Amino acid sequence: KAGVTQTPRYLIKTRGQQVTLSCSPISGHRSVSWYQQTPGQGLQFLFEYFSETQRNKGNFPGRFSGRQFSNSRSEMNVSTLELGDSALYLCASRRQQPYEQYFGPGTRLTVT
Amino acid sequence: EDKVVQSPLSLVVHEGDTVTLNCSYEVTNFRSLLWYKQEKKAPTFLFMLTSSGIEKKSGRLSSILDKKELFSILNITATQTGDSAIYLCAPGGSQGNLIFGKGTKLSVKP
C-alpha cells in the first residue's frame, strides 16, 4: 500500500509570496491533518480535514488555510509568507478510527 | 491549555543499555496517546495506547499508559545505534488532533 505523499518536497519562496502544498493520503484514509515543524516550536497542529470539511484547527493565523477534495487529497495554502514560516510542513492521514496517523515525507519550505 | 512534557530532553547511552522515556500530559477530552520515532525525516508510527495498564510491545520496544496519573513511558531494551532518533509522544483529543511533545533525543553510541 502506498504511503502518504507530499509535493513538492522542497520549496524556496520570497517574503510576501504565497505557496500551495499538496498531500495525497493513504488509500482509504479520509482524514488529513497538517502540521508545522520547526526547531524552536516542534510539531504543531495546523488543521484537520475529513470528508472535505475542516474539522479542527490549531492556533495559526488566517494566512494558513487548507482544503480537501472529494478524493481525500488535501492542499494547504500560506499567503503573504513571512520568514518565520520557514519550516517542515507535514501531512498525516488516518481512517476516522483509530487515531493512528501516518506521516508523509514533508515539504521543506524556506522563505527568504 | 493542552500540555505535553517529555523527559529527558536528550539522552546518550551505549549499545546494549536499556532506556526509559517519559511523557506526561494534560489534554482536554483525552482519547489516546501515540508514540513516534523521528530520524532525519517524517515521524514513524510506533504505538497507540488507549487503555491504562496494557503494555504494547514490538520487539525491543514497549510502552504503557497510565490514564489516572496522566503519563506514558516508552522502554527500549538492548539499544542499538539504529535506535538513535527523536522519540515523540502525542496524546490526542476527541477531535483527533495530536498534541506533540518536544521529544526526547536519544543517541546510542557503539
Side-chain angles (χ1 to χ4, degrees):
Chain A
K1 207 176 203 179
V4 179
T5 59
Q6 291 186 246
T7 57
R9 295 291 310 279
Y10 302 91
L11 207 48
I12 299 174
K13 290 285 190 178
T14 305
R15 263 185 311 177
Q17 288 186 314
Q18 76 164 19
V19 67
T20 299
L21 313 182
S22 180
C23 171
S24 292
I26 292 171
S27 177
H29 287 193
R30 295 170 63 191
S31 164
V32 173
S33 296
W34 288 90
Y35 295 85
Q36 181 195 67
Q37 187 173 33
T38 59
Q41 297 299 318
L43 261 161
Q44 292 184 288
F45 172 73
L46 280 156
F47 29 67
E48 180 190 15
Y49 285 87
F50 181 83
S51 292
E52 302 177 64
T53 301
Q54 187 181 88
R55 193 155 65 168
N56 202 3
K57 190 177 192 307
N59 191 23
F60 277 82
R63 300 184 297 107
F64 292 81
S65 63
R67 59 179 175 167
Q68 186 180 35
F69 302 94
S70 58
N71 61 358
S72 295
R73 189 178 71 86
S74 178
E75 288 182 347
M76 190 192 97
N77 186 76
V78 187
S79 62
T80 319
L81 284 165
E82 300 177 0
L83 295 178
D85 297 333
S86 294
L88 179 66
Y89 289 89
L90 292 161
C91 152
S93 78
R94 63 177 172 92
R95 294 188 183 90
Q96 182 176 11
Q97 295 287 349
Y99 287 86
E100 53 196 89
Q101 295 185 7
Y102 295 92
F103 283 86
T107 294
R108 172 74 64 185
L109 172 65
T110 301
V111 183
T112 61
Chain B
E1 188 180 323
D2 295 333
K3 188 167 68 174
V4 182
V5 178
Q6 291 189 245
S7 64
L9 289 180
S10 67
L11 194 53
V12 180
V13 300
H14 288 93
E15 274 191 317
D17 288 349
T18 293
V19 298
T20 298
L21 311 183
N22 303 290
C23 173
S24 64
Y25 64 90
E26 292 177 32
V27 170
T28 305
N29 297 322
F30 172 84
R31 295 289 292 273
S32 60
L33 186 143
L34 284 73
W35 283 95
Y36 287 87
K37 175 184 181 182
Q38 187 173 28
E39 298 168 270
K40 292 180 181 178
K41 50 187 178 179
T44 304
F45 172 75
L46 293 174
F47 295 112
M48 184 176 76
L49 304 155
T50 55
S51 302
S52 270
I54 298 174
E55 185 180 29
K56 292 262 183 137
K57 294 189 102 170
S58 176
R60 297 176 295 102
L61 277 66
S62 64
S63 183
I64 197 159
L65 173 68
D66 186 326
K67 289 168 75 171
K68 183 180 175 186
E69 299 298 329
L70 307 182
F71 78 88
S72 176
I73 59 171
L74 176 68
N75 279 318
I76 308 175
T77 59
T79 51
Q80 302 171 357
T81 54
D83 295 327
S84 296
I86 296 174
Y87 290 85
L88 297 162
C89 161
S94 59
Q95 293 299 316
N97 60 298
L98 298 177
I99 301 105
F100 281 86
K102 295 279 197 258
T104 293
K105 184 176 181 181
L106 174 65
S107 299
V108 182
K109 296 196 176 302

